[in-house]
Structure formats: structure tokens, C-alpha cells
Amino acid sequence: MPRKSRAGSDRPTLADVAREAGVSAITVSRAIRSPGIVSQKARAKVEEAVRKLGYTPDPAASALASRSTSTIGLLVPSLTNNVFSDVLRGVYDGAQDTRFFIQIGNYRYSALEEEGLIRAFLSQRPAGMIVSSRDQTDAARALLEQASCPIVQIMETSDDAVDMCVGFDQLASVRAGAEHLRACGYRRLGFLSARMDPRARRRLEAFRDAASAAGLHDEARIVTTPLPSSVGLGRQLLEQLLDRAPDTDAVMCNNDDLAVGALMEARARNIDVPRELGICSYNDIEMARQMVPSLSAVATPRREIGSRAIAMLLAEIESPGSVSERRVDLGFAMMARGSTSPR
Amino acid sequence: MPRKSRAGSDRPTLADVAREAGVSAITVSRAIRSPGIVSQKARAKVEEAVRKLGYTPDPAASALASRSTSTIGLLVPSLTNNVFSDVLRGVYDGAQDTRFFIQIGNYRYSALEEEGLIRAFLSQRPAGMIVSSRDQTDAARALLEQASCPIVQIMETSDDAVDMCVGFDQLASVRAGAEHLRACGYRRLGFLSARMDPRARRRLEAFRDAASAAGLHDEARIVTTPLPSSVGLGRQLLEQLLDRAPDTDAVMCNNDDLAVGALMEARARNIDVPRELGICSYNDIEMARQMVPSLSAVATPRREIGSRAIAMLLAEIESPGSVSERRVDLGFAMMARGSTSPR
DNA sequence: TTGAAAGCGCTAACAA
DNA sequence: TTGTTAGCGCTTTCAA
């Protein structure tokens, strides 16, 4: 049966708008996408027709014809983790008022799930991708390398980025924390860490190195677990640490949840922080700063990472090759507060 | 250095797979979408060809031809708020291993932004939508009512849901908190609330009603601010409350951040919790439970809301009309802990 | 500056 | 069970 308006979709199409405006479909398309290249008159007629019919473009048709979408994929290992909610915020704020949509994929700290998501996202021909790890499977890495859209890897700076990267030196940041504790005069340093994903593992390594270099390494004071991080877990880990090595005088925590938990456990045991026990947190989410005593912390630029990543991506989408600084180090800061003090 | 320019159309299509397998395109399509309806032999040939060519379907083409996508839109007012990160987790876990994708829209507590997002999402012909508010603009509400996909409104139970809803009785939950404080013997009840979106406002109203009914209402003890909630803000709000009404003996907080902040401020001022000041939190995220003393709280079923919402949606997408319980009340629980005590 | 024609890659509808 | 045909609504190309 020849062309005839199908039942079901009463939604106006580009052709309907064209008819209404008395121009061709392609003129409507141009008037919408690049108003600058059509005449004033045509544009006005199109705008009027669009308004009158309540026309909204069909993104699927657009994607099919143009072979590109307005989707930006964002892959994160966790949605509960406060770290990533800050990154998310930076990304979403940066994408606000652009034609782009953020689509989040949560791979739950599984490299295999991540690979599946990368595959699925790329099949949509995204305008760009932001990925949170540099620990992809080989297949995932290959997919990213073959991708035809710009890609930003976030959280770490690395020399072997697929395309662009923005983050900070994770190892140096942990060393700064250890050094802070040492400089305060603490000598029996513990380390608490949950969920040993590759990044957490590298940070633990960095702590070992730093402690060793200072002659303060004691493996008995390193307490880790594969469980996901939480405040309650921080309490448990400190308990374990103190069972094993009661004379520990300071503890570095691999994230804020654990540090808050450690602080609470210390309080429950009437251990004086910072006098009897120094606590240094990692990431520095707002809550950590508001504890009593306020937690000293290695502050990481999570939100900035998100906003910088999306900015780089948008610039690169706009004009490929325009981003000259393709490897951005946003640094970190050691915030000395009440939970540690010179002794 | 610019990244690779235009992608070649080297990507295999359905037609390529069909040629390789020696069957027609539609058979490939069927073998992929509903393997059950093609012969064993054809299926095997198709699977082999798919593997050999590394074929991935193009979702845009599929969406255009079938007039439907595998996208599920999820609209939340905030990404930082812990409340919604729990909901997100429930939704994502439920969508895991299905063919559906979750696409999040963050309307940042703005009804106007929400309307824009609803419009944008619906133009994509989503398979379903989950929306977090019942306070849409009239236009947004109209869009939802005309939508041709199932819709779940979450967080509150309401009688005028657009389609389905899952949540709990927000007003009763706050009344339960107020009643708990009264039952403990507290008599001069305060209330702290940040960001007065419509839901927060309704909860404040419910608190006023409950306090009034118990003869315990005192407007001077109600401290609110339009600022977004944070632990630091909880500290400030308690400070304001105690400036205004120093004899306040208990405080209900409109969420956990504020309650933790209030607890910290009390600690900084050496106010004994629960003896001198009772604190009741709202939502009950894990952190609240781990404080010292542990925070009493009205626990809300955030994760369950997410998983139930996605389950209802998937069922309804699968077979429209199959969900009989279209209005689900998941309840709440008053958790009495150390931050309040009978006196 | 505008338009006509030709698909983009897939699926609905019908036919065999 | 399998295939044929005709689009889905848009953008690309090329021409005017």
C-alpha cells in the first residue's frame, strides 16, 4: 500500500512541518539545526509551523540518517559511592543547556560488566564517552581504541590514555596523607581500606611505599576487606586494627566513609582523637569536614574532574582535534584539620 | 593530536549478516530478537555469522522501524542527595540483565527543568518512565498523561497518579517521628529542614499538625532554609534553633545530613544527646545508624522503591495491563536508637 | 539559499 | 518457518 499516514503515530513529522510552512523538509531540518544558514523568512515560517504543530524531532530518525547521536556515555563503577556522585554532578552541570544527554552506565566494579557496557554504549554511536577506569579488559580497551568518538578517562592521570584523560596523581595523593601523619609526629601508622578494586589496591601500594620509605611500615597495621565501603565498615576495620595492633597511633583511611566510621569507633571507645589516635581521611566529602573533630583529609577534585571531562569532550565533539591539553592533572590538597595534630 | 576522523561505515549491518548466513535479513532480525521462532538450523547459521562479523544491532534503526526503544527514563530532582542514590541503585539493579537502559534526568528541583526533560525523554519514545515527583507543572502532567508508555511515580503514594505509583505516606512518616519524640517525653520540639521543595514543605506541614495535635507546637522552634541540605547546614540550623529557643529539648530533622550535622553541633557544644537533646533523623541512610550515639530515625524504603518501580514498569512493558496493584505503599519504620530515649 | 532524490539499518505486515 | 516489500523520519548528496 502506497504512502499514507500510518495509524498509531499522530505525532507531527518534519514533512508535516514543511507542508505547514510551505517549504521543503530539508529547509525545516536546516532551520532547526543551523538557523544561520536559512533565510530570515523561511526560518520565521518554520518556527511558526513548529510551534503550531508542536513538533519535536525524532532522535532515532536523526541518529539513523546522520549516523550520530547526542548521547554521551558515562561509565562509573558505583552509584552509591559519594565520590562518583560528585563527579556526576560536575558532568551533568556541564552538559546542562547543551543538546547532549548523559547516559550513565554502572558497572559495579566489574571489568566484565564494564566491557559489556562499553560495547552497548558504542553500538549507539554516542557523541562521546567518559570512562572511570584505566583497568579495562583488553577487549574493552580495544573497543575504546577503535571507537569513532572522543573519549575521556577520568580519575587518574596516565600516560597511556586511549584518547584524553583528566584526574590527579592517585599515588602521590596517598603519599601526601602518609607524609602528613609522619610530619605530625605519628609513628605507628595504620591503613584501612574497603573494596579492593585496582585503584584502591594501587593506593594501598602507595601507602606501603611511603610508610616504608619513612621507616614506618608495619604490615600488621594494614587492614583491608573486599566488602563495599561504609561507615559501619570503618568502625569494624578500626576495631580489627586495634585488636591486632593496639598501639597504633594514627590511621589513614582509603575514603571518607571509613574515616567517619573510624572516628565514631574511636569515640565509642573513648579514644581521644587526635591525641591518642590521628585520623586522615581520603577524598574529603563535605560530611568529613563537619565531623567533630573535623577530619583531616586528602581532598580530591571530584567535581572538577566531572566538569573538566565534559568540557573537554564537548570541545572535541564540536571541533575534533581542538583540545590541545589532552592529559589534565587537577591535583589534590592535603587538608590538615582537627583529627590530626602535631605532637 | 586529533583523533581519528570520520568513521567509515565499516560496521556490519543486518544485511551483511544475512548474506553471510545465507538467509534473509528478517530471519536474522528474528533470530536475534526472538530466537524461539526460527528454526534451529537458521539460528545456528545466524549466530555463527553474527560472531564472525562482530555484528551489533543499531538501536537507532531499530527504534525508527519499530517505533519504540529500550530506554527507560528516570527523572530525579538531585544526584547528590543520598536518598536518590539509593533509589537509583534499586532501579539499576532491577534493570540489570534486561534489554533496557536507564537514562537519568536530573531536574535539580526545578519543575520547569523537569517539564523540559519530560518533553525531551518522551520524544525518544521511551519504553517507560519513572518520575520522582507529583508536583509537575500542568504542561508536564499533560505530557505524561498523553504518553504512550507506562509511567511510575515514586516516593509518595497518591490517589491521582498518572499511571502507577510506589512510595509511602510521607505525612504519616513525619507524624511517626514527632510521635516518637513525644512518647519519649520530649516536650519542646524543634524541626530542621533545608531546601523547601514541595515534598519538604508537606513534611513540615505534617510536623506542624502532629505537634499541634499533641499541644507541643511552637513556631519559633521551626527552622528552615532554601539552601540545599548538607551536614554543615545541619550544624548551622541547630545553632539558629538554640539561639532562638535555647530550651528546645528535641529536634526532628527533615533528612539525615541535617541530623548528623545537628548531632555534631551538639557534640561541639557539649550538649548531651539524648539526655539534654533528643534527635530524630529522617530517611535513615547507613551513616546515621553508625553515629555515636546512633541516630533514631524514620526509615524510608528508598531502595525498595527503586526496585519495585522498575519491576512494575518492566511487567507493564512486557504485557500492558498486567500489573494489577498500580498503587503500592511500601510503608516506613520508626527506628528508635540512642539519640532519643525515654525520660 | 533552497530543493529532489536517495538512502541510513532496521522491522511491520503480509505472503508463500 | 521464511521471505518480500515497503516504509519509519530524518539527513546527505548533489543540483539548481
Side-chain angles (χ1 to χ4, degrees):
Chain A
M1 150 176 19
R3 62 175 59 246
K4 165 182 178 179
S5 72
R6 277 280 203 44
S9 187
D10 42 0
R11 194 170 141 176
T13 69
L14 205 60
D16 296 328
V17 177
R19 204 171 306 119
E20 177 73 29
V23 297
S24 72
I26 185 62
T27 298
V28 176
S29 176
R30 289 200 267 248
I32 290 170
R33 287 182 301 153
S34 359
I37 65 167
V38 300
S39 65
Q40 278 286 2
K41 232 174 76 187
R43 196 193 324 169
K45 282 190 292 185
V46 168
E47 279 167 4
E48 172 58 21
V50 164
R51 193 167 19 251
K52 182 168 170 203
L53 300 179
Y55 170 73
T56 330
D58 182 329
S62 167
L64 182 58
S66 70
R67 306 173 141 91
S68 73
T69 65
S70 299
T71 299
I72 288 175
L74 170 57
L75 260 39
V76 296
S78 159
L79 283 168
T80 12
N81 193 322
N82 292 301
V83 172
F84 287 99
S85 70
D86 286 338
V87 173
L88 281 190
R89 198 146 55 106
V91 172
Y92 269 84
D93 286 354
Q96 196 69 26
D97 303 323
T98 71
R99 66 188 183 89
F100 296 97
F101 269 91
I102 307 300
Q103 188 155 341
I104 299 175
N106 172 16
Y107 57 88
R108 306 189 292 184
Y109 289 104
S110 152
L112 238 58
E113 272 195 52
E114 186 190 18
E115 181 186 324
L117 284 169
I118 289 175
R119 205 181 297 279
F121 274 53
L122 288 179
S123 79
Q124 291 185 62
R125 308 176 184 280
M129 293 266 290
I130 300 177
V131 298
S132 305
S133 91
R134 64 169 224 202
D135 305 288
Q136 286 89 9
T137 61
D138 290 344
R141 168 112 195 168
L143 285 169
L144 291 177
E145 275 163 354
Q146 288 153 23
S148 54
C149 65
I151 291 167
V152 183
Q153 284 169 291
I154 58 172
M155 301 323 280
E156 309 190 35
T157 48
S158 83
D159 294 321
D160 63 340
V162 167
D163 184 12
M164 298 179 281
C165 71
V166 48
F168 58 96
D169 185 335
Q170 300 260 340
L171 307 188
S173 68
V174 172
R175 285 197 297 269
E179 166 57 21
H180 170 71
L181 292 175
R182 193 205 57 76
C184 282
Y186 297 106
R187 286 296 172 265
R188 296 181 296 281
L189 311 185
F191 187 84
L192 307 184
S193 182
R195 179 130 50 191
M196 296 303 283
D197 62 290
R199 195 134 52 211
R201 206 164 278 129
R202 284 196 285 276
R203 290 208 296 259
L204 168 56
E205 257 341 290
F207 179 83
R208 280 205 183 95
D209 290 350
S212 293
L216 303 177
H217 178 64
D218 181 348
E219 194 60 28
R221 300 189 206 277
I222 292 181
V223 185
T224 67
T225 155
L227 295 174
S229 174
S230 69
V231 175
L233 199 59
R235 296 189 62 163
Q236 289 175 35
L237 292 181
L238 183 64
E239 184 175 13
Q240 284 179 35
L241 172 59
L242 295 179
D243 279 356
R244 268 193 230 170
D247 63 341
T248 300
D249 65 1
V251 62
M252 169 95 204
C253 300
N254 212 345
N255 66 41
D256 297 304
D257 286 349
L258 298 182
V260 168
L263 180 64
M264 290 301 134
E265 186 62 22
R267 171 143 172 67
R269 293 169 174 245
N270 279 310
I271 294 171
D272 186 293
V273 175
R275 254 207 23 253
E276 297 173 71
L277 183 74
I279 300 181
C280 181
S281 187
Y282 189 88
N283 277 329
D284 198 33
I285 64 176
E286 192 256 354
M287 163 182 75
R289 188 168 58 246
Q290 299 293 344
M291 293 292 107
V292 176
S294 184
L295 285 168
S296 296
V298 177
T300 58
R302 303 173 302 285
R303 177 135 184 213
E304 291 71 20
I305 288 177
S307 49
R308 186 65 175 266
I310 188 75
M312 288 164 77
L313 207 51
L314 293 178
E316 191 69 15
I317 291 168
E318 196 61 40
S319 49
S322 65
V323 175
S324 51
E325 206 184 343
R326 302 182 85 79
R327 182 175 174 285
V328 176
D329 185 343
L330 291 176
F332 56 85
M334 178 64 230
M335 313 299 292
R337 303 206 187 93
S339 69
T340 56
S341 69
R343 30 189 16 224
Chain B
M1 180 183 59
R3 199 173 152 68
K4 63 212 73 178
S5 42
R6 299 291 264 169
S9 36
D10 43 358
R11 193 169 142 175
T13 70
L14 205 61
D16 297 327
V17 177
R19 204 172 306 119
E20 177 73 28
V23 297
S24 72
I26 188 67
T27 298
V28 176
S29 175
R30 290 201 267 248
I32 290 171
R33 287 182 301 154
S34 0
I37 66 168
V38 300
S39 65
Q40 279 285 5
K41 232 175 73 186
R43 199 195 317 170
K45 284 190 292 184
V46 168
E47 278 167 4
E48 172 57 21
V50 163
R51 193 167 21 248
K52 183 171 170 201
L53 301 180
Y55 170 73
T56 331
D58 181 330
S62 167
L64 183 58
S66 70
R67 296 148 172 283
S68 73
T69 65
S70 299
T71 299
I72 289 176
L74 169 57
L75 261 38
V76 296
S78 160
L79 283 169
T80 13
N81 194 323
N82 292 301
V83 173
F84 287 99
S85 70
D86 286 338
V87 173
L88 281 191
R89 200 145 56 105
V91 172
Y92 269 83
D93 286 355
Q96 196 71 25
D97 303 321
T98 71
R99 64 187 185 89
F100 296 97
F101 268 90
I102 306 300
Q103 187 154 343
I104 299 175
N106 171 15
Y107 57 88
R108 304 190 293 186
Y109 289 103
S110 151
L112 237 59
E113 271 195 53
E114 186 190 18
E115 182 186 323
L117 284 169
I118 289 175
R119 205 181 296 279
F121 274 54
L122 288 179
S123 79
Q124 289 185 66
R125 308 177 185 281
M129 292 267 290
I130 300 177
V131 298
S132 304
S133 91
R134 65 170 224 201
D135 305 287
Q136 286 89 9
T137 62
D138 290 345
R141 168 114 196 165
L143 285 169
L144 291 177
E145 275 163 355
Q146 289 153 24
S148 53
C149 65
I151 291 168
V152 182
Q153 285 169 290
I154 58 172
M155 302 322 281
E156 309 191 36
T157 48
S158 83
D159 294 321
D160 63 341
V162 168
D163 184 10
M164 298 178 282
C165 70
V166 49
F168 58 95
D169 185 334
Q170 299 261 340
L171 306 188
S173 68
V174 172
R175 285 197 297 267
E179 167 55 21
H180 170 71
L181 291 175
R182 192 206 58 74
C184 282
Y186 298 106
R187 288 293 171 266
R188 296 181 296 280
L189 309 185
F191 187 84
L192 306 184
S193 183
R195 180 126 54 188
M196 296 304 281
D197 62 288
R199 196 136 52 211
R201 205 164 279 129
R202 284 196 287 275
R203 290 209 296 259
L204 168 56
E205 257 341 292
F207 178 83
R208 279 204 183 96
D209 290 350
S212 292
L216 303 177
H217 177 65
D218 180 348
E219 194 59 28
R221 300 190 206 278
I222 292 181
V223 185
T224 68
T225 153
L227 295 173
S229 174
S230 69
V231 175
L233 199 60
R235 295 189 61 163
Q236 289 174 35
L237 292 181
L238 183 63
E239 182 175 14
Q240 283 178 34
L241 172 59
L242 295 180
D243 279 356
R244 268 193 231 169
D247 63 341
T248 300
D249 65 1
V251 61
M252 169 96 204
C253 300
N254 212 346
N255 66 42
D256 298 303
D257 286 349
L258 297 181
V260 169
L263 180 64
M264 289 302 135
E265 185 63 21
R267 170 140 172 72
R269 293 170 175 243
N270 280 310
I271 294 171
D272 186 293
V273 175
R275 255 207 21 256
E276 297 173 72
L277 183 73
I279 299 181
C280 181
S281 188
Y282 189 88
N283 277 326
D284 198 33
I285 65 176
E286 192 256 356
M287 163 181 76
R289 187 168 59 247
Q290 299 294 345
M291 293 291 109
V292 177
S294 184
L295 286 168
S296 297
V298 178
T300 58
R302 303 173 302 285
R303 177 133 183 214
E304 292 71 22
I305 287 177
S307 48
R308 185 66 176 263
I310 189 75
M312 289 164 76
L313 207 51
L314 293 178
E316 191 70 16
I317 290 168
E318 196 60 41
S319 49
S322 65
V323 175
S324 52
E325 206 184 343
R326 303 183 83 81
R327 181 176 174 284
V328 176
D329 186 342
L330 291 177
F332 56 85
M334 178 65 229
M335 314 299 292
R337 302 204 187 93
S339 70
T340 55
S341 70
R343 30 189 20 227

